[in-house]
């Protein structure tokens, strides 16, 4: 039975619905943005799986909330105190108590199941990756090695090392699976790319301590530049321990790796990441320096103008 037209409850329902519609409309969000419930845009299938878990968890929570709010308002509107007579008690109503026990148990079990399925997918490393990257963290920068690809001059893995004056570029192919093997040379760091929606601590000697030091993504869905960070307080310059993921089209990545394996005639050394990207000349994606973050100014003699140079 619906609410009777013209009653106080009907008017409240209309006002509540109108406020809700105005609230959603005033945000200016698209349907896709609303369904993300604040979850950032992802660039990997694993991150999208986590977004779907988040969306449906919020939908379920809102559904439970609406039922609870509805029951509260229904009680307030239709079961206000009318006399001094004690209302009928339901403390020993067995069917009701069974419902209150079984329904929450089912909700928790379903949430646990989908969480476990998503977690197993995100952490799965059973497939052979197309590209493997060894990530080496140190105070306070990063080194990225490609063990599959060797330089022709020294037969060493292609490697990119960050410095205080240059943000390291982790160049990877778009559309291919990538495995990241993580280790630290000193303290605990954390490898975090916000667009991956995933972070993993980087430990020294992970094998000795039986720590999972690797993760894998099926692919990066689109080309682009994505900032990466250390997400573990690792020392004085932790806040500036950044890097950049540069996702290139597969053909451009293959050419990039080919250049990195060759010797640059101008320097007599293997091509650096910046030199190889410059040689590729593929537009903004081939910018030879990071575009999402910048190096830390290491000049400790610099003083703010406000302190008079003291």
């Amino acid at each position: 039975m619906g609410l009777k037209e013209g009653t106080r409850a009907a008017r409240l329902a209309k006002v509540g619905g109108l406020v809700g519609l105005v609230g959603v409309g005033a945000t200016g969000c698209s349907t896709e943005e609303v369904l993300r419930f604040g979850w950032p845009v992802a660039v990997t299938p694993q991150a999208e799986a986590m977004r779907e878990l988040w969306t449906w968890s919020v939908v379920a929570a809102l559904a439970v909330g609406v039922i609870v709010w509805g029951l509260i308002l229904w009680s307030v509107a239709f079961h206000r105190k009318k006399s001094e007579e004690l209302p009928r008690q339901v403390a020993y109503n067995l069917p009701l108590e069974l419902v209150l026990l079984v329904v929450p148990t089912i909700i928790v079990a379903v949430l646990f199941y989908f969480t476990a399925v998503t977690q197993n997918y995100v952490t799965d490393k059973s497939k052979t990756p197309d590209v493997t990257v060894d990530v080496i963290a140190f105070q306070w920068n990063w080194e990225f090695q490609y063990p599959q690809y060797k330089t022709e001059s020294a037969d060493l893995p292609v490697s990119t090392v960050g410095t205080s004056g240059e943000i390291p570029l982790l160049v990877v192919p778009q559309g291919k699976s990538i495995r990241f093997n993580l280790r630290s040379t000193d303290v605990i760091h954390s490898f975090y790319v916000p667009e991956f929606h995933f972070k993993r601590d980087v430990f020294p000697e992970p094998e000795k301590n039986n720590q999972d030091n690797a993760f894998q993504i099926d692919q990066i869905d689109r080309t682009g530049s994505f900032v990466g960070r250390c997400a573990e307080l690792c020392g004085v310059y932790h806040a500036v321990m950044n890097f950049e993921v540069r996702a290139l089209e597969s053909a451009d990545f293959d050419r990039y790796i080919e250049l990195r394996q060759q010797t640059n005639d101008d320097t007599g050394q293997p091509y650096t990441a910046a030199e190889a990207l410059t040689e590729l000349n593929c537009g903004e994606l081939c910018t030879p320096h990071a575009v999402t973050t910048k190096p830390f100014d290491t000049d400790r003699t610099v003083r703010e103008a406000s302190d008079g140079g003291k």
Side-chain angles (χ1 to χ4, degrees):
M1 184 175 67
L3 296 175
K4 188 175 180 181
E5 186 68 28
T7 63
R8 182 181 179 185
R11 289 195 299 270
L12 287 174
K14 288 180 179 179
V15 171
L18 181 61
V19 169
L21 288 173
V22 171
V24 172
T27 63
C29 296
S30 66
T31 303
E32 188 269 338
E33 288 172 322
V34 170
L35 289 177
R36 282 195 284 111
F37 293 108
W39 190 271
V41 176
V43 296
T44 70
Q46 282 81 356
E48 180 60 19
M50 288 185 278
R51 198 278 306 163
E52 291 177 356
L53 175 64
W54 166 255
T55 293
W56 290 110
S57 297
V58 174
V59 169
L62 287 173
V64 172
V66 167
I67 292 172
V68 172
W69 299 331
L71 290 173
I72 292 173
L73 292 174
W74 177 70
S75 300
V76 170
F78 300 104
H79 291 275
R80 290 176 293 178
K81 182 177 179 180
K82 296 182 177 65
S83 69
E84 297 299 328
E85 183 181 352
L86 187 67
R88 184 168 64 90
Q89 302 300 295
V90 294
Y92 300 101
N93 188 318
L94 184 58
L96 179 60
E97 291 182 358
L98 285 175
V99 169
L100 296 178
L101 175 65
V102 171
V103 171
T105 301
I106 292 174
I107 292 173
V108 171
V110 170
L111 182 61
F112 179 85
Y113 169 78
F114 284 106
T115 300
V117 168
T118 302
Q119 178 177 301
N120 289 339
Y121 171 57
V122 170
T123 58
D124 179 54
K125 302 187 292 288
S126 60
K127 298 178 182 177
T128 302
D130 297 314
V131 176
T132 298
V133 180
D134 290 341
V135 178
I136 303 168
F138 57 92
Q139 291 177 316
W140 286 274
N141 224 307
W142 304 86
E143 178 180 0
F144 306 118
Q145 294 183 353
Y146 302 80
Q148 298 165 273
Y149 308 105
K150 308 289 186 179
T151 58
E152 61 182 20
S153 58
D155 196 32
L156 295 174
V158 170
S159 174
T160 300
V161 184
T163 67
S164 58
E166 184 176 1
I167 298 292
L169 300 176
L170 173 52
V171 181
V172 291
Q174 176 261 338
K176 290 190 175 181
S177 59
I178 308 166
R179 181 186 177 100
F180 300 93
N181 299 317
L182 314 175
R183 81 172 45 247
S184 168
T185 62
D186 36 55
V187 300
I188 299 175
H189 300 276
S190 182
F191 183 89
Y192 176 45
V193 180
E195 280 79 6
F196 290 0
H197 299 170
F198 185 89
K199 67 177 71 171
R200 172 143 288 173
D201 282 351
V202 185
F203 295 95
E205 300 184 349
E207 296 84 4
K208 278 189 176 181
N209 298 296
N210 196 30
Q211 289 150 340
D212 189 355
N213 69 319
F215 72 96
Q216 193 164 312
I217 58 176
D218 288 343
Q219 65 175 26
I220 296 178
D221 297 329
R222 59 184 173 86
T223 60
S225 301
F226 315 107
V227 67
R229 307 186 186 281
C230 174
E232 179 74 28
L233 183 58
C234 58
V236 176
Y237 297 113
H238 154 74
V240 293
M241 189 173 162
N242 297 339
F243 61 93
E244 181 171 288
V245 176
R246 188 70 60 81
L248 305 180
E249 292 184 2
S250 182
D252 289 334
F253 174 78
D254 291 341
R255 177 57 180 156
Y256 167 83
I257 286 295
E258 184 181 332
L259 287 168
R260 293 298 311 273
Q261 293 177 289
Q262 298 174 5
T263 299
N264 187 337
D265 293 335
D266 295 335
T267 64
Q269 299 292 326
Y271 277 88
T272 65
E275 292 168 349
L277 288 171
T278 301
E279 187 73 19
L280 274 179
N281 191 26
C282 61
E284 184 179 347
L285 283 177
C286 284
T287 304
H289 56 80
V291 296
T292 60
T293 183
K294 60 183 180 180
F296 175 62
D297 186 355
T298 58
D299 184 358
R300 299 174 68 95
T301 65
V302 174
R303 297 290 184 267
E304 296 290 340
S306 59
D307 66 8
K310 297 178 182 179

